[in-house]
Amino acid sequence: MNYEAVIGLEVHVQLNTKTKIFCSCSTEYSGNEPNTNVCEICSGQPGTLPVLNGAVLERAIKTGLALNCKIAARTKFDRKNYFYPDLPKGYQVSQFDMPICSSGYIMLGAAESGEEKKIGITRIHMEEDAGKNVHGADGKKTFVDYNRGGIPLLEIVSEPDMRTPAEAKEYLEKLKVILKYIDVSDCNMEDGSLRCDANVSIRPVGEAKLGTKVEIKNMNSFRGVQKALEYEIERQNEAVKNNAKIFQETRLYDEAKGITLSMRKKEEAFDYRYFPEPDLPPYDISADTVVKIQAGIPELPDAKFKRYLKEFSLSAYDAGLISNNPPLAYFFEKCTDDYKNYKVITNWLLGDISKKINESQQADISKTNIKPAHLVEMLELIDNGTISGKIAKGIIDEIFNTAETPRQIISRLGLVQISDNDFIINIIKETLGENQKSIDDFINGKAAARGFLVGQIMKKTKGKANPKLVNEMLDAELNKLKLQ
Amino acid sequence: MTEKYKKYNDINELPLHYKPAHVIRTMLDSRQISPEEIKTETLKRIAKIDNKINSFLRLCDINNDSGEKNAFWLNIPIALKDNIATKNIITTAGSRILENHIPIFDATVTKKLKDQNAFIVGKTNLDEFAMGSSTENSAFKKTVNPWDYSCVPGGSSGGSAAAVASGMAYMALGSDTGGSIRQPAALCGVCGMKPTYGRVSRYGLIAFASSLDQIGPFTRDAVDMAHALDAISGHDSKDSTSSDSAVDNYSAAALKGYDFKNLKIGIPEQYFTGGIDAGVLNRVEAAIEEFKKLGATVVKVSLPNSKYAIPVYYLIATAEASSNLARFDGVKYGFRAPEYKNLKEMYMKTREAGFGAEVKRRIILGTYALSSGYYDAYYKKAQKARTLICQDFENAFKKVDVILTPVTPSTAFKFNEKTSDPLAMYMSDIFTISINLASIPAMSIPCGLSENMPVGLQILGNYFQEAKMLAIAAEFQKHTDHHLCMPAI
Amino acid sequence: MISKDEVMKIAGLAMLELTEEEVLLYSEQLSSLLEHFNQIQSLNLDDIEPTNNALVNFNVLRADIVEPSKSQRTIVSNAPETDGKNFNVPAIIETEE
């Protein structure tokens, strides 16, 4: 019997608002000393009360719209009650039965295979992040830091629509791209601004009933999610093969060993005793509010991809790469305002420029020195013969280092391409005069000799000779010699 | 046997410590007395009697000079219930678990009174976490009723009530979740008001039941009450449940008075059936007669869902409290048990030792009401029944301006009389708790004595009708002298 | 009708280490309270909306403007146990195996 995997993902993203969800402490806590980003409210002092950050609500609605969700006409908060040191109030303010968004979806596969698959999103809700428990080295104490306490989170819960670990990874990547387009979160698993728990079960193909669900936690990257799921599905398949029981439990992913481990078994689901948060009123979301927020949502990746194919005739591959990278897409589109050879733009962006971005270790193109105007100027200078493509590569390097414009760099380094016919013909004749053997080799059919001669000519001109002219003129001279 | 009380014929006869704040204000402004003298006299009074009354958990000496020269409460000695946060001054909520807790911020009401340069004399005793009706649940002291030291002052704001009643402060703030201002006000013969929910900020009030708690004043008379409400009312951006409806000028309204010929008073039949001491019922009915003599019309109203008030209140209040008290866990502040083997033990031993019996009982009941399998039957059902209680009042106020009722079924009871039967203790709140469920304003004013102990009259108003209620009460006090009867100490 | 076992289970949820006497006392007292409270069970409230709060201002929001946090020293000033920067608690044990 063939078994299929059924995967659902629960993603928590930290929103990039300036202040926490219920108090006015700054959200920039990364790298700070413990408990320096904390006030009486987010440390749960007696007598304090929450006030909702309007920007959190706005980003939640924006996210819901970008993920094709229904926005609740009325939403409210609830208390989730449990004891843990990183939870200062002894309850988390979250949303239970009236979440801000529901019934949305993400499309996968649009760019690559052309076979689209819809992954449903059950709900999105707002909640506050907890502090951090840091374990002491001797294992005797835990140190609690509330800097992260109160950071606004969105919890995004998918339907169990994914069937492979690769699909799960693709879902996460697509989600990240969309959220970066609407600029609500950094979505980095590495710095904790995106966290993911997976739910996975297996069942016979064709069976409608779901198998026993296992929750997987502690994955630290999208790739880690994929690998954890691969292991877990294998484990469950093995269990079924051996008639062993699959327990409904939570398992932690051990990255080093590449396996999942059972946590202390909880006999029954914990009783969180949810009840409506009495310190916060409900929120009515008007149709006007939704329209306004919708208007602020930029073109999203799926629409952008389709438009790139149509308007710019990009290949599906190029369109996919650019549309899934918001800063790159912005850069590309800006270039197209002033330069209409789109393929050339994408060649440079996806080639040398992307290479430089990786080398620079910046997060994306917008953090580097290169601007759309630089690229456009450079392409125009190539087109009008001022520089060669090879010289241009060097100019790209300089732009990244100095943020100068191509014209400034050319001027500073004296890079203007030599297109003076007389000058070039003299160098060619000089080179030919010094390399009789190569001439002979060429006449005798050794094509490589020509390349050697070109190299020597370029060396003499310090690479500045216009290659097109060099080639034309050298060929003409060689022909003359051949016919002699 | 010494007289328990003394009846004065008019304000001018009152000794300094029993004069209303508005008289003290005039005396200060006209330099009949200096701020230092008022301060000294108050501290002398406290030194003389508080070792018997035990109103104060702690004396402080806060008398800012923010430069505000025209504030009503400038230099007037006042007190704050010890569940109201005072920055850098220990605030215990009457509990061992916060025995040495020093808040890092001021409650909004504390700030407002500091801005007026009031002289904050001290923090007063209370039932632990405001849970109780006698102040017997305090972990620290036993506050007695200034009229009879063998009787309770009421609760949970017993310390504040006793302080004003015995002339140790001219105004004291308390908190009211199910009657904790009005009941002690009645038992101690002073005025006490619970404003409309949201009228006064809860920021800095150590929470008991979030949808029911309100801070309110104890005062000598209705005019003082209006001045107190002026000082503490208003929208607070730190409290999401705080109302942004316009704040009336309460003292202007109280001073203007009220023409009782335009006054329709509602008398709810459910509040006058059995279970009330004959003496108490007598005084309340006599007060209603006084209203009629002054021109008011009495209309019968019905609040049929009153009988559900006790279960509805106790299920909702304890549920919210069980959650609000979860933060007391020995991690961030307060008491931590001295010995434990692991984290779970630390939590359990800390809370077991830090909380008193009444608090634990309510936490258990509240946790139960919210727990899986019981939420719908208890908490959710109580919330629905609460709607019915609100509707009762909304309907009644369509016909009348205010509603008058007794405050308590009896005068102050003896210590330990009700401590072994929680239900009996809870039942003594029967006349006050519906008000918190409906979020409407209510005040208690003295209306005479029964067997030498004070009796209170409760005035209920519709949402944000405090100005009207205070005008009515002030007018009543122009024609009566119950508020001039003081304990003989 | 709250048994001793139920009281103990609830006490566990509420992190209260009750004594034997307390468990017995509370189960008696709470049973008698709940019996009294059962009068609301008889009400048919299917068509009634619950009231969380009779007076609600909807949509109370705050602007996204940073205000200074309290200092580290202030935040840990009331801590029962601290290393000056963090709140110290007994070690949390996460997994078995």
Side-chain angles (χ1 to χ4, degrees), chain A residues 289-336:
Chain A
T289 302
V290 173
V291 165
K292 236 202 292 177
I293 294 176
Q294 177 76 67
I297 294 180
E299 185 181 41
L300 293 176
D302 289 349
K304 207 177 270 294
F305 173 78
K306 294 196 175 88
R307 184 168 68 86
Y308 283 2
L309 295 181
K310 210 157 139 227
E311 201 176 308
F312 302 122
S313 304
L314 298 191
S315 69
Y317 181 75
D318 287 357
L321 279 181
I322 298 180
S323 66
N324 280 323
N325 184 332
L328 198 62
Y330 174 80
F331 193 102
F332 169 74
E333 288 172 23
K334 268 247 150 302
C335 291
T336 64

Side-chain angles (χ1 to χ4, degrees), chain B residues 101-102 104 196-197 211 240 242-243 307-308 311 314 330-334 336 340 343 346-349 351-352 357 360-361 363-365 367-368 374 377-378 381 383-388 422-423 426 438-439 463, chain C residues 1-2 6 10-19 22 26 29-30 33-34 36-41 43 45-46 48-55 57 60 70 74-75 77-81 87-90 92:
Chain B
H101 175 65
I102 304 177
I104 61 177
T196 311
Y197 183 86
S211 74
S240 300
S242 144
S243 170
K307 58 182 179 285
Y308 304 118
Y314 276 98
V331 175
K332 311 162 294 286
Y333 38 73
R336 179 191 284 194
Y340 44 84
L343 179 67
M346 186 205 86
Y347 281 147
M348 297 193 83
K349 288 184 192 292
R351 290 164 61 80
E352 165 67 12
K360 282 188 282 200
R361 179 172 27 253
I363 290 176
I364 299 281
L365 179 57
T367 307
Y368 185 80
Y374 296 110
Y378 289 116
K381 198 120 194 203
Q383 293 259 353
K384 290 183 165 204
R386 182 176 184 175
T387 303
L388 297 180
L423 189 59
Y426 298 167
S439 307
Y463 304 122
Chain C
M1 76 266 345
I2 306 192
E6 279 188 291
I10 296 291
L13 280 178
M15 287 292 179
L16 290 171
E17 191 182 75
L18 300 180
T19 62
E22 280 173 324
Y26 291 158
Q29 289 178 336
L30 295 178
L33 280 173
L34 285 175
H36 176 84
F37 292 174
N38 274 334
Q39 40 178 316
I40 64 171
Q41 295 312 322
L43 289 171
L45 299 173
D46 291 341
I48 308 279
E49 281 302 299
T51 297
N52 290 331
N53 203 323
L55 286 173
N57 307 333
V60 177
K70 292 267 194 284
T74 302
I75 292 296
S77 62
N78 282 308
E81 194 184 312
F87 297 90
N88 293 4
V89 298
I92 299 167

Side-chain angles (χ1 to χ4, degrees), chain B residues 94 98 282:
Chain B
L98 286 180
N282 212 290

Side-chain angles (χ1 to χ4, degrees), chain A residues 118-416:
Chain A
K118 195 187 251 196
I119 307 292
I121 289 177
T122 317
R123 55 181 278 152
I124 302 176
H125 71 250
M126 300 173 280
E127 61 185 27
E128 54 179 348
D129 209 344
K132 265 220 184 88
N133 297 320
V134 177
H135 302 299
D138 61 0
K140 293 214 186 86
K141 291 206 196 293
T142 296
F143 303 108
V144 189
D145 169 16
Y146 294 119
N147 282 347
R148 197 183 66 174
I151 296 287
L153 293 179
L154 281 188
E155 179 172 326
I156 303 171
V157 182
S158 83
E159 292 285 333
D161 287 346
M162 288 159 271
R163 294 286 171 269
T164 69
E167 243 169 42
K169 179 160 178 277
E170 197 190 335
Y171 170 89
L172 291 170
E173 286 165 344
K174 189 65 176 283
L175 180 64
K176 175 171 179 168
V177 170
I178 294 173
L179 295 187
K180 294 215 73 159
Y181 264 107
I182 59 176
D183 193 19
V184 299
S185 170
D186 292 333
C187 290
N188 249 323
M189 284 195 82
E190 288 72 16
D191 70 16
S193 52
L194 189 153
R195 282 136 38 194
C196 175
D197 296 332
N199 291 309
V200 57
S201 61
I202 60 174
R203 67 182 173 194
V205 175
E207 169 74 55
K209 198 160 87 94
L210 291 170
T212 305
K213 187 170 72 167
V214 173
E215 188 187 22
I216 315 284
K217 285 178 174 292
N218 201 42
M219 299 156 293
N220 296 321
S221 63
F222 292 171
R223 185 94 183 92
V225 171
Q226 184 176 4
K227 289 173 84 169
L229 285 168
E230 283 166 0
Y231 172 85
E232 179 58 24
I233 290 167
E234 169 82 27
R235 185 191 77 87
Q236 291 191 16
N237 273 308
E238 278 302 303
V240 162
K241 225 189 278 170
N242 301 328
N243 272 321
K245 180 164 189 228
I246 298 171
F247 291 97
Q248 178 169 329
E249 58 176 351
T250 302
R251 298 178 71 87
L252 295 188
Y253 179 57
D254 182 328
E255 170 124 26
K257 298 199 187 115
I259 63 176
T260 62
L261 291 165
S262 181
M263 281 185 78
R264 184 174 306 204
K265 229 162 270 165
K266 292 177 192 153
E267 296 306 327
E268 35 189 67
F270 189 80
D271 185 2
Y272 291 112
R273 287 158 281 130
Y274 285 98
F275 72 102
E277 169 59 82
D279 290 330
L280 292 170
Y283 300 85
D284 279 349
I285 316 292
S286 68
D288 276 351
T289 302
V290 173
V291 165
K292 236 202 292 177
I293 294 176
Q294 177 76 67
I297 294 180
E299 185 181 41
L300 293 176
D302 289 349
K304 207 177 270 294
F305 173 78
K306 294 196 175 88
R307 184 168 68 86
Y308 283 2
L309 295 181
K310 210 157 139 227
E311 201 176 308
F312 302 122
S313 304
L314 298 191
S315 69
Y317 181 75
D318 287 357
L321 279 181
I322 298 180
S323 66
N324 280 323
N325 184 332
L328 198 62
Y330 174 80
F331 193 102
F332 169 74
E333 288 172 23
K334 268 247 150 302
C335 291
T336 64
D337 285 344
D338 298 317
Y339 190 83
K340 305 302 177 185
N341 193 338
Y342 309 124
K343 186 82 180 86
V344 170
I345 301 175
T346 61
N347 285 344
W348 280 96
L349 278 182
L350 297 176
D352 287 291
I353 293 178
S354 283
K355 193 150 150 262
K356 278 305 287 185
I357 297 171
N358 286 339
E359 280 169 17
S360 73
Q361 297 198 321
Q362 293 291 354
D364 61 67
I365 195 171
S366 68
K367 308 280 192 299
T368 67
N369 283 325
I370 192 164
K371 301 284 164 265
H374 295 153
L375 181 58
V376 168
E377 188 179 295
M378 198 189 80
L379 294 176
E380 285 168 351
L381 289 171
I382 294 174
D383 284 350
N384 70 18
T386 308
I387 55 175
S388 66
K390 190 144 181 268
I391 291 175
K393 285 179 196 267
I395 290 177
I396 296 285
D397 283 353
E398 284 299 309
I399 295 174
F400 268 78
N401 293 338
T402 67
E404 288 172 301
T405 67
R407 285 209 164 79
Q408 288 168 335
I409 293 166
I410 286 171
S411 163
R412 176 165 60 83
L413 297 177
L415 293 174
V416 174

Side-chain angles (χ1 to χ4, degrees), chain A residues 40-41 43-51 79 81 83-85 88-89 91 146 271 273-276 278-279, chain B residues 105 202-205 210 237-241 323-324 326-327 331-333 343 347 351 367 370-372 375 379:
Chain A
E40 66 263 26
I41 299 166
S43 59
Q45 302 288 325
T48 53
L49 296 170
V51 184
R79 291 189 187 178
N81 298 281
F83 287 86
Y84 212 57
K89 297 188 290 291
Y91 58 85
Y146 294 119
D271 185 2
R273 287 158 281 130
Y274 285 98
F275 72 102
D279 290 330
Chain B
F105 70 102
R202 287 187 301 119
Y203 192 79
L205 174 66
S210 314
S237 59
K238 289 181 138 79
D239 176 355
S240 300
T241 61
S323 179
N324 283 328
R327 69 189 64 203
V331 175
K332 311 162 294 286
Y333 38 73
L343 179 67
Y347 281 147
R351 290 164 61 80
T367 307
L370 292 176
S371 65
S372 165
Y375 177 88
Y379 185 75

Side-chain angles (χ1 to χ4, degrees), chain B residues 122-137:
Chain B
K123 308 299 291 297
T124 60
N125 198 20
L126 64 157
D127 281 301
E128 186 181 359
F129 286 109
M131 298 183 189
S133 309
S134 64
T135 309
E136 291 173 290
N137 293 325

